[in-house]
Amino acid sequence: MSGEHMQIGEVAARTELSLRTIRHYEETGLVIPSARSQGGFRLYTEADVARLMVIRRMKPLGFTLDEMRDLLAATDRLDAAGDDLGTEERERLLDRVRHFEQAAQERVAHLRTQLARAEEFAATLAGHLPRPAQHP
Protein backbone atom coordinates (compact mmCIF):
# COMPACT_ATOMS: atom_id res chain seq x y z
CA MET A 1 0.00 0.00 0.00
CA SER A 2 3.06 2.26 -0.17
CA GLY A 3 1.95 4.21 -3.26
CA GLU A 4 -1.77 4.15 -2.58
CA HIS A 5 -3.68 7.07 -1.17
CA MET A 6 -6.25 6.85 1.61
CA GLN A 7 -9.08 9.17 2.40
CA ILE A 8 -9.29 10.77 5.81
CA GLY A 9 -11.89 8.27 7.09
CA GLU A 10 -9.55 5.33 6.55
CA VAL A 11 -6.70 7.25 8.13
CA ALA A 12 -8.89 8.05 11.14
CA ALA A 13 -9.79 4.37 11.53
CA ARG A 14 -6.16 3.27 11.24
CA THR A 15 -4.79 5.87 13.64
CA GLU A 16 -7.76 5.89 16.03
CA LEU A 17 -7.84 9.67 15.72
CA SER A 18 -11.01 11.59 14.99
CA LEU A 19 -11.52 13.40 11.69
CA ARG A 20 -11.59 16.63 13.66
CA THR A 21 -8.24 15.85 15.30
CA ILE A 22 -6.62 15.00 11.97
CA ARG A 23 -7.95 18.25 10.48
CA HIS A 24 -6.64 20.15 13.51
CA TYR A 25 -3.18 18.66 13.00
CA GLU A 26 -3.40 19.73 9.37
CA GLU A 27 -4.40 23.28 10.35
CA THR A 28 -1.43 23.48 12.74
CA GLY A 29 0.95 22.19 10.06
CA LEU A 30 1.87 18.94 11.78
CA VAL A 31 0.63 16.77 8.95
CA ILE A 32 -0.29 17.82 5.45
CA PRO A 33 -2.25 15.47 3.17
CA SER A 34 0.03 14.20 0.42
CA ALA A 35 -2.58 14.89 -2.25
CA ARG A 36 -6.15 15.90 -2.95
CA SER A 37 -8.65 14.00 -5.03
CA GLN A 38 -10.31 15.60 -8.03
CA GLY A 39 -13.26 16.27 -5.73
CA GLY A 40 -10.99 18.03 -3.22
CA PHE A 41 -10.87 15.23 -0.62
CA ARG A 42 -7.73 14.91 1.47
CA LEU A 43 -5.58 11.95 0.44
CA TYR A 44 -2.94 10.45 2.69
CA THR A 45 -0.08 7.98 2.26
CA GLU A 46 1.49 5.44 4.60
CA ALA A 47 4.09 8.07 5.49
CA ASP A 48 1.29 10.44 6.54
CA VAL A 49 -0.22 7.69 8.71
CA ALA A 50 3.20 7.04 10.29
CA ARG A 51 3.53 10.76 11.03
CA LEU A 52 0.09 10.84 12.66
CA MET A 53 1.07 7.83 14.77
CA VAL A 54 4.12 9.71 16.06
CA ILE A 55 1.86 12.61 17.00
CA ARG A 56 -0.68 10.26 18.61
CA ARG A 57 2.06 8.66 20.71
CA MET A 58 3.46 12.03 21.83
CA LYS A 59 0.12 13.45 22.91
CA PRO A 60 -0.48 11.33 26.05
CA LEU A 61 3.06 12.10 27.16
CA GLY A 62 2.14 15.78 27.32
CA PHE A 63 4.26 17.05 24.43
CA THR A 64 3.02 20.36 23.06
CA LEU A 65 2.23 21.00 19.41
CA ASP A 66 5.43 23.04 19.14
CA GLU A 67 7.46 20.16 20.60
CA MET A 68 5.80 17.76 18.17
CA ARG A 69 6.61 20.13 15.32
CA ASP A 70 10.23 20.39 16.50
CA LEU A 71 10.71 16.61 16.67
CA LEU A 72 9.02 16.02 13.33
CA ALA A 73 11.18 18.70 11.69
CA ALA A 74 14.32 17.01 13.02
CA THR A 75 13.29 13.52 11.93
CA ASP A 76 12.05 14.81 8.56
CA ARG A 77 15.40 16.45 7.93
CA LEU A 78 17.33 13.34 8.99
CA ASP A 79 15.16 11.12 6.79
CA ALA A 80 15.16 13.41 3.75
CA ALA A 81 18.83 14.33 3.70
CA GLY A 82 20.25 10.87 4.28
CA ASP A 83 24.01 10.97 3.80
CA ASP A 84 23.89 14.51 2.39
CA LEU A 85 23.92 16.05 5.88
CA GLY A 86 27.11 17.50 7.22
CA THR A 87 28.49 15.95 10.39
CA GLU A 88 27.69 19.01 12.50
CA GLU A 89 24.08 19.27 11.31
CA ARG A 90 23.54 15.51 11.69
CA GLU A 91 24.81 15.64 15.29
CA ARG A 92 22.63 18.66 16.06
CA LEU A 93 19.55 16.86 14.74
CA LEU A 94 20.44 13.62 16.53
CA ASP A 95 20.86 15.61 19.75
CA ARG A 96 17.31 16.95 19.27
CA VAL A 97 15.99 13.41 18.81
CA ARG A 98 17.99 12.20 21.85
CA HIS A 99 16.48 15.05 23.89
CA PHE A 100 12.97 13.90 22.95
CA GLU A 101 13.80 10.26 23.63
CA GLN A 102 15.06 11.18 27.11
CA ALA A 103 12.00 13.35 27.78
CA ALA A 104 9.72 10.53 26.62
CA GLN A 105 11.47 8.05 28.94
CA GLU A 106 11.08 10.44 31.88
CA ARG A 107 7.41 11.04 31.11
CA VAL A 108 6.75 7.30 30.77
CA ALA A 109 8.38 6.71 34.18
CA HIS A 110 6.18 9.44 35.67
CA LEU A 111 3.07 7.88 34.12
CA ARG A 112 4.06 4.45 35.50
CA THR A 113 4.29 5.97 38.98
CA GLN A 114 0.88 7.61 38.55
CA LEU A 115 -0.60 4.33 37.30
CA ALA A 116 0.81 2.39 40.25
CA ARG A 117 -0.72 4.92 42.65
CA ALA A 118 -4.06 4.73 40.85
CA GLU A 119 -4.01 0.92 41.01
CA GLU A 120 -3.21 1.07 44.74
CA PHE A 121 -6.13 3.45 45.25
CA ALA A 122 -8.50 1.21 43.30
CA ALA A 123 -7.35 -1.78 45.34
CA THR A 124 -7.90 0.16 48.57
CA LEU A 125 -11.43 1.00 47.50
CA ALA A 126 -12.09 -2.60 46.48
CA GLY A 127 -10.91 -3.67 49.96
CA HIS A 128 -13.72 -1.63 51.49
CA LEU A 129 -16.40 -3.38 49.46
CA PRO A 130 -17.97 -6.72 50.30
CA ARG A 131 -16.77 -9.56 48.12
CA PRO A 132 -19.36 -11.05 45.81
CA ALA A 133 -20.75 -14.36 47.01
CA GLN A 134 -19.21 -17.33 45.28
CA HIS A 135 -21.56 -19.87 43.79
CA PRO A 136 -20.70 -23.59 43.85
Side-chain angles (χ1 to χ4, degrees), residues 105-133:
Q105 292 295 342
E106 290 169 5
R107 292 173 188 204
V108 165
H110 178 72
L111 286 173
R112 282 192 178 114
T113 299
Q114 286 184 307
L115 178 60
R117 289 177 182 155
E119 288 171 334
E120 289 170 5
F121 175 66
T124 300
L125 291 176
H128 290 290
L129 298 173
R131 297 181 190 255

mmCIF file of all heavy atoms in Angstrom, residues 105-133:
data_model
loop_
_atom_site.group_PDB
_atom_site.id
_atom_site.type_symbol
_atom_site.label_atom_id
_atom_site.label_comp_id
_atom_site.label_asym_id
_atom_site.label_seq_id
_atom_site.Cartn_x
_atom_site.Cartn_y
_atom_site.Cartn_z
ATOM 1 N N GLN A 105 11.183 9.043 27.901
ATOM 2 C CA GLN A 105 11.471 8.052 28.941
ATOM 3 C C GLN A 105 11.097 8.583 30.326
ATOM 4 O O GLN A 105 10.512 7.863 31.146
ATOM 5 C CB GLN A 105 12.957 7.649 28.911
ATOM 6 C CG GLN A 105 13.365 6.874 27.690
ATOM 7 C CD GLN A 105 12.701 5.511 27.588
ATOM 8 O OE1 GLN A 105 12.184 4.965 28.553
ATOM 9 N NE2 GLN A 105 12.685 4.963 26.391
ATOM 10 N N GLU A 106 11.421 9.838 30.589
ATOM 11 C CA GLU A 106 11.080 10.441 31.877
ATOM 12 C C GLU A 106 9.572 10.537 32.066
ATOM 13 O O GLU A 106 9.041 10.255 33.146
ATOM 14 C CB GLU A 106 11.714 11.830 31.995
ATOM 15 C CG GLU A 106 13.220 11.778 32.128
ATOM 16 C CD GLU A 106 13.884 13.150 31.989
ATOM 17 O OE1 GLU A 106 13.163 14.180 31.885
ATOM 18 O OE2 GLU A 106 15.132 13.186 31.974
ATOM 19 N N ARG A 107 8.871 10.906 31.018
ATOM 20 C CA ARG A 107 7.413 11.041 31.109
ATOM 21 C C ARG A 107 6.750 9.673 31.264
ATOM 22 O O ARG A 107 5.763 9.538 31.985
ATOM 23 C CB ARG A 107 6.877 11.795 29.901
ATOM 24 C CG ARG A 107 7.323 13.252 29.909
ATOM 25 C CD ARG A 107 6.964 13.988 28.660
ATOM 26 N NE ARG A 107 7.579 15.307 28.648
ATOM 27 C CZ ARG A 107 7.114 16.324 27.947
ATOM 28 N NH1 ARG A 107 6.043 16.195 27.197
ATOM 29 N NH2 ARG A 107 7.741 17.492 27.979
ATOM 30 N N VAL A 108 7.281 8.657 30.618
ATOM 31 C CA VAL A 108 6.754 7.297 30.772
ATOM 32 C C VAL A 108 6.947 6.835 32.221
ATOM 33 O O VAL A 108 6.037 6.261 32.825
ATOM 34 C CB VAL A 108 7.422 6.329 29.772
ATOM 35 C CG1 VAL A 108 7.164 4.872 30.145
ATOM 36 C CG2 VAL A 108 6.931 6.609 28.353
ATOM 37 N N ALA A 109 8.122 7.097 32.784
ATOM 38 C CA ALA A 109 8.377 6.711 34.179
ATOM 39 C C ALA A 109 7.393 7.420 35.116
ATOM 40 O O ALA A 109 6.855 6.803 36.045
ATOM 41 C CB ALA A 109 9.820 7.056 34.560
ATOM 42 N N HIS A 110 7.142 8.693 34.855
ATOM 43 C CA HIS A 110 6.182 9.438 35.670
ATOM 44 C C HIS A 110 4.774 8.834 35.550
ATOM 45 O O HIS A 110 4.071 8.672 36.550
ATOM 46 C CB HIS A 110 6.180 10.908 35.244
ATOM 47 C CG HIS A 110 5.191 11.752 35.982
ATOM 48 N ND1 HIS A 110 5.358 12.108 37.305
ATOM 49 C CD2 HIS A 110 4.018 12.294 35.590
ATOM 50 C CE1 HIS A 110 4.323 12.829 37.694
ATOM 51 N NE2 HIS A 110 3.496 12.958 36.668
ATOM 52 N N LEU A 111 4.387 8.492 34.331
ATOM 53 C CA LEU A 111 3.067 7.882 34.125
ATOM 54 C C LEU A 111 2.971 6.517 34.812
ATOM 55 O O LEU A 111 1.921 6.168 35.356
ATOM 56 C CB LEU A 111 2.757 7.744 32.637
ATOM 57 C CG LEU A 111 2.409 9.043 31.914
ATOM 58 C CD1 LEU A 111 2.303 8.798 30.415
ATOM 59 C CD2 LEU A 111 1.101 9.618 32.446
ATOM 60 N N ARG A 112 4.059 5.747 34.799
ATOM 61 C CA ARG A 112 4.061 4.454 35.496
ATOM 62 C C ARG A 112 3.837 4.647 36.989
ATOM 63 O O ARG A 112 3.108 3.893 37.622
ATOM 64 C CB ARG A 112 5.369 3.706 35.237
ATOM 65 C CG ARG A 112 5.424 3.058 33.893
ATOM 66 C CD ARG A 112 6.610 2.083 33.779
ATOM 67 N NE ARG A 112 6.578 1.462 32.490
ATOM 68 C CZ ARG A 112 7.494 1.627 31.542
ATOM 69 N NH1 ARG A 112 8.555 2.382 31.775
ATOM 70 N NH2 ARG A 112 7.381 1.026 30.384
ATOM 71 N N THR A 113 4.472 5.664 37.559
ATOM 72 C CA THR A 113 4.288 5.966 38.975
ATOM 73 C C THR A 113 2.837 6.348 39.246
ATOM 74 O O THR A 113 2.219 5.872 40.207
ATOM 75 C CB THR A 113 5.240 7.098 39.413
ATOM 76 O OG1 THR A 113 6.583 6.671 39.201
ATOM 77 C CG2 THR A 113 5.039 7.464 40.876
ATOM 78 N N GLN A 114 2.285 7.209 38.392
ATOM 79 C CA GLN A 114 0.882 7.606 38.554
ATOM 80 C C GLN A 114 -0.044 6.399 38.433
ATOM 81 O O GLN A 114 -1.008 6.280 39.197
ATOM 82 C CB GLN A 114 0.501 8.654 37.518
ATOM 83 C CG GLN A 114 1.066 10.021 37.804
ATOM 84 C CD GLN A 114 0.581 11.037 36.795
ATOM 85 O OE1 GLN A 114 0.716 10.830 35.585
ATOM 86 N NE2 GLN A 114 0.005 12.123 37.280
ATOM 87 N N LEU A 115 0.223 5.520 37.480
ATOM 88 C CA LEU A 115 -0.604 4.331 37.296
ATOM 89 C C LEU A 115 -0.524 3.423 38.517
ATOM 90 O O LEU A 115 -1.548 2.908 38.976
ATOM 91 C CB LEU A 115 -0.183 3.575 36.033
ATOM 92 C CG LEU A 115 -0.950 2.280 35.750
ATOM 93 C CD1 LEU A 115 -2.446 2.554 35.590
ATOM 94 C CD2 LEU A 115 -0.385 1.600 34.513
ATOM 95 N N ALA A 116 0.660 3.235 39.059
ATOM 96 C CA ALA A 116 0.807 2.391 40.252
ATOM 97 C C ALA A 116 0.012 2.969 41.416
ATOM 98 O O ALA A 116 -0.670 2.231 42.142
ATOM 99 C CB ALA A 116 2.286 2.258 40.622
ATOM 100 N N ARG A 117 0.053 4.274 41.578
ATOM 101 C CA ARG A 117 -0.720 4.922 42.647
ATOM 102 C C ARG A 117 -2.219 4.759 42.413
ATOM 103 O O ARG A 117 -2.982 4.524 43.352
ATOM 104 C CB ARG A 117 -0.346 6.393 42.748
ATOM 105 C CG ARG A 117 1.030 6.613 43.297
ATOM 106 C CD ARG A 117 1.401 8.072 43.329
ATOM 107 N NE ARG A 117 2.768 8.231 43.816
ATOM 108 C CZ ARG A 117 3.528 9.267 43.525
ATOM 109 N NH1 ARG A 117 3.058 10.261 42.790
ATOM 110 N NH2 ARG A 117 4.746 9.349 44.000
ATOM 111 N N ALA A 118 -2.636 4.893 41.172
ATOM 112 C CA ALA A 118 -4.060 4.732 40.849
ATOM 113 C C ALA A 118 -4.506 3.299 41.112
ATOM 114 O O ALA A 118 -5.609 3.070 41.642
ATOM 115 C CB ALA A 118 -4.313 5.109 39.389
ATOM 116 N N GLU A 119 -3.670 2.324 40.749
ATOM 117 C CA GLU A 119 -4.013 0.921 41.011
ATOM 118 C C GLU A 119 -4.085 0.638 42.506
ATOM 119 O O GLU A 119 -4.969 -0.095 42.963
ATOM 120 C CB GLU A 119 -3.007 -0.002 40.326
ATOM 121 C CG GLU A 119 -3.167 -0.022 38.815
ATOM 122 C CD GLU A 119 -2.053 -0.764 38.097
ATOM 123 O OE1 GLU A 119 -0.918 -0.866 38.629
ATOM 124 O OE2 GLU A 119 -2.324 -1.238 36.969
ATOM 125 N N GLU A 120 -3.166 1.219 43.278
ATOM 126 C CA GLU A 120 -3.210 1.069 44.736
ATOM 127 C C GLU A 120 -4.504 1.651 45.296
ATOM 128 O O GLU A 120 -5.141 1.066 46.181
ATOM 129 C CB GLU A 120 -2.007 1.753 45.386
ATOM 130 C CG GLU A 120 -0.688 1.063 45.149
ATOM 131 C CD GLU A 120 0.502 1.901 45.594
ATOM 132 O OE1 GLU A 120 0.308 2.999 46.180
ATOM 133 O OE2 GLU A 120 1.639 1.461 45.353
ATOM 134 N N PHE A 121 -4.894 2.808 44.802
ATOM 135 C CA PHE A 121 -6.126 3.449 45.251
ATOM 136 C C PHE A 121 -7.333 2.587 44.928
ATOM 137 O O PHE A 121 -8.201 2.372 45.772
ATOM 138 C CB PHE A 121 -6.244 4.831 44.606
ATOM 139 C CG PHE A 121 -7.537 5.524 44.913
ATOM 140 C CD1 PHE A 121 -7.846 5.915 46.206
ATOM 141 C CD2 PHE A 121 -8.452 5.779 43.905
ATOM 142 C CE1 PHE A 121 -9.047 6.557 46.483
ATOM 143 C CE2 PHE A 121 -9.642 6.420 44.172
ATOM 144 C CZ PHE A 121 -9.948 6.807 45.470
ATOM 145 N N ALA A 122 -7.388 2.079 43.700
ATOM 146 C CA ALA A 122 -8.502 1.214 43.302
ATOM 147 C C ALA A 122 -8.550 -0.031 44.173
ATOM 148 O O ALA A 122 -9.631 -0.472 44.586
ATOM 149 C CB ALA A 122 -8.402 0.850 41.829
ATOM 150 N N ALA A 123 -7.397 -0.599 44.484
ATOM 151 C CA ALA A 123 -7.350 -1.782 45.344
ATOM 152 C C ALA A 123 -7.812 -1.452 46.764
ATOM 153 O O ALA A 123 -8.514 -2.245 47.399
ATOM 154 C CB ALA A 123 -5.938 -2.370 45.365
ATOM 155 N N THR A 124 -7.447 -0.277 47.245
ATOM 156 C CA THR A 124 -7.902 0.158 48.567
ATOM 157 C C THR A 124 -9.419 0.278 48.602
ATOM 158 O O THR A 124 -10.069 -0.181 49.550
ATOM 159 C CB THR A 124 -7.249 1.506 48.944
ATOM 160 O OG1 THR A 124 -5.837 1.340 48.969
ATOM 161 C CG2 THR A 124 -7.738 2.010 50.292
ATOM 162 N N LEU A 125 -9.979 0.878 47.573
ATOM 163 C CA LEU A 125 -11.435 0.997 47.496
ATOM 164 C C LEU A 125 -12.086 -0.373 47.428
ATOM 165 O O LEU A 125 -13.089 -0.625 48.110
ATOM 166 C CB LEU A 125 -11.839 1.832 46.275
ATOM 167 C CG LEU A 125 -11.492 3.314 46.321
ATOM 168 C CD1 LEU A 125 -11.874 3.974 45.013
ATOM 169 C CD2 LEU A 125 -12.152 4.002 47.502
ATOM 170 N N ALA A 126 -11.536 -1.253 46.608
ATOM 171 C CA ALA A 126 -12.093 -2.603 46.483
ATOM 172 C C ALA A 126 -12.046 -3.326 47.825
ATOM 173 O O ALA A 126 -12.942 -4.110 48.141
ATOM 174 C CB ALA A 126 -11.337 -3.393 45.424
ATOM 175 N N GLY A 127 -11.033 -3.044 48.637
ATOM 176 C CA GLY A 127 -10.912 -3.674 49.956
ATOM 177 C C GLY A 127 -12.000 -3.241 50.917
ATOM 178 O O GLY A 127 -12.265 -3.937 51.902
ATOM 179 N N HIS A 128 -12.635 -2.129 50.647
ATOM 180 C CA HIS A 128 -13.719 -1.633 51.494
ATOM 181 C C HIS A 128 -15.086 -2.170 51.066
ATOM 182 O O HIS A 128 -16.082 -1.908 51.741
ATOM 183 C CB HIS A 128 -13.748 -0.100 51.492
ATOM 184 C CG HIS A 128 -12.601 0.513 52.210
ATOM 185 N ND1 HIS A 128 -12.447 0.462 53.584
ATOM 186 C CD2 HIS A 128 -11.510 1.185 51.747
ATOM 187 C CE1 HIS A 128 -11.343 1.079 53.934
ATOM 188 N NE2 HIS A 128 -10.743 1.527 52.829
ATOM 189 N N LEU A 129 -15.131 -2.874 49.974
ATOM 190 C CA LEU A 129 -16.397 -3.378 49.455
ATOM 191 C C LEU A 129 -16.536 -4.852 49.791
ATOM 192 O O LEU A 129 -15.547 -5.587 49.820
ATOM 193 C CB LEU A 129 -16.459 -3.182 47.934
ATOM 194 C CG LEU A 129 -16.405 -1.729 47.460
ATOM 195 C CD1 LEU A 129 -16.295 -1.679 45.948
ATOM 196 C CD2 LEU A 129 -17.618 -0.953 47.946
ATOM 197 N N PRO A 130 -17.787 -5.287 50.045
ATOM 198 C CA PRO A 130 -17.965 -6.720 50.296
ATOM 199 C C PRO A 130 -17.647 -7.517 49.042
ATOM 200 O O PRO A 130 -17.872 -7.069 47.918
ATOM 201 C CB PRO A 130 -19.449 -6.834 50.664
ATOM 202 C CG PRO A 130 -20.084 -5.582 50.172
ATOM 203 C CD PRO A 130 -19.017 -4.533 50.077
ATOM 204 N N ARG A 131 -17.083 -8.669 49.254
ATOM 205 C CA ARG A 131 -16.767 -9.561 48.121
ATOM 206 C C ARG A 131 -18.037 -10.202 47.634
ATOM 207 O O ARG A 131 -18.897 -10.583 48.426
ATOM 208 C CB ARG A 131 -15.770 -10.617 48.542
ATOM 209 C CG ARG A 131 -14.435 -10.045 48.956
ATOM 210 C CD ARG A 131 -13.484 -11.158 49.351
ATOM 211 N NE ARG A 131 -12.306 -10.596 49.954
ATOM 212 C CZ ARG A 131 -11.135 -10.515 49.353
ATOM 213 N NH1 ARG A 131 -11.008 -10.971 48.132
ATOM 214 N NH2 ARG A 131 -10.106 -9.997 49.973
ATOM 215 N N PRO A 132 -18.165 -10.378 46.334
ATOM 216 C CA PRO A 132 -19.363 -11.047 45.809
ATOM 217 C C PRO A 132 -19.401 -12.495 46.305
ATOM 218 O O PRO A 132 -18.367 -13.153 46.448
ATOM 219 C CB PRO A 132 -19.199 -11.000 44.289
ATOM 220 C CG PRO A 132 -17.946 -10.245 44.020
ATOM 221 C CD PRO A 132 -17.256 -9.949 45.294
ATOM 222 N N ALA A 133 -20.597 -12.969 46.549
ATOM 223 C CA ALA A 133 -20.754 -14.359 47.008
ATOM 224 C C ALA A 133 -20.337 -15.300 45.889
ATOM 225 O O ALA A 133 -20.617 -15.057 44.710
ATOM 226 C CB ALA A 133 -22.210 -14.614 47.394
#
